[in-house]
Amino acid sequence: MIYLLGLLFFLFPVLSAGVLLRWRKEWSRRRIVLVSASPLAALIAVPCLLVFVLTFTSTPRQCVIDRCDEDRDTALGGLRIALAGFVGGVLTAGGTVYLARRNAPVPEADIFT
């Protein structure tokens, strides 16, 4: 399961960077890389942040024997996975954008305008 998640973290940014390179030619390299790497990381980070905040704001009566500590640790693990996936996505999308823009033909300049 974790390998499938890792594959998604590296494959999705490459595909979305390719789509953004085709449809958003005026965007900067940094914007394309960050937009293509962030959706999957946000999809994992938002529920983990929600669990993390809920365990800190719960009363001692709601926490049954160390259950809140376990949930908090699990949420931190999910945040680490999201951060690692975001960094991996930035690297793969950055490589995709670099290779695509390096091999792109340069438009000829009009000398009469």
Side-chain angles (χ1 to χ4, degrees):
M1 182 67 184
I2 195 77
Y3 297 116
L4 182 62
L5 185 64
L7 181 66
L8 277 176
F9 268 123
F10 291 116
L11 188 62
F12 182 77
V14 170
L15 295 175
S16 62
V19 168
L20 288 174
L21 279 169
R22 183 173 176 96
W23 296 103
R24 301 290 182 191
K25 294 179 177 152
E26 69 277 357
W27 280 13
S28 68
R29 178 179 295 167
R30 180 180 296 155
R31 187 174 186 182
I32 290 174
V33 167
L34 291 178
V35 166
S36 62
S38 60
L40 282 178
L43 208 66
I44 291 176
V46 168
C48 290
L49 282 173
L50 181 67
V51 167
F52 193 74
V53 168
L54 287 177
T55 57
F56 266 114
T57 58
S58 61
T59 63
R61 190 172 184 182
Q62 291 173 333
C63 291
V64 181
I65 309 175
D66 295 337
R67 184 66 188 162
C68 287
D69 292 337
E70 293 172 6
D71 291 343
R72 208 174 297 133
D73 292 341
T74 304
L76 282 176
L79 287 173
R80 288 185 191 123
I81 289 172
L83 180 66
F86 179 73
V87 170
V90 164
L91 292 176
T92 55
T96 302
V97 171
Y98 173 75
L99 289 175
R101 293 234 170 125
R102 184 185 68 165
N103 296 332
V106 177
E108 294 182 21
D110 190 10
I111 61 172
F112 299 111
T113 59

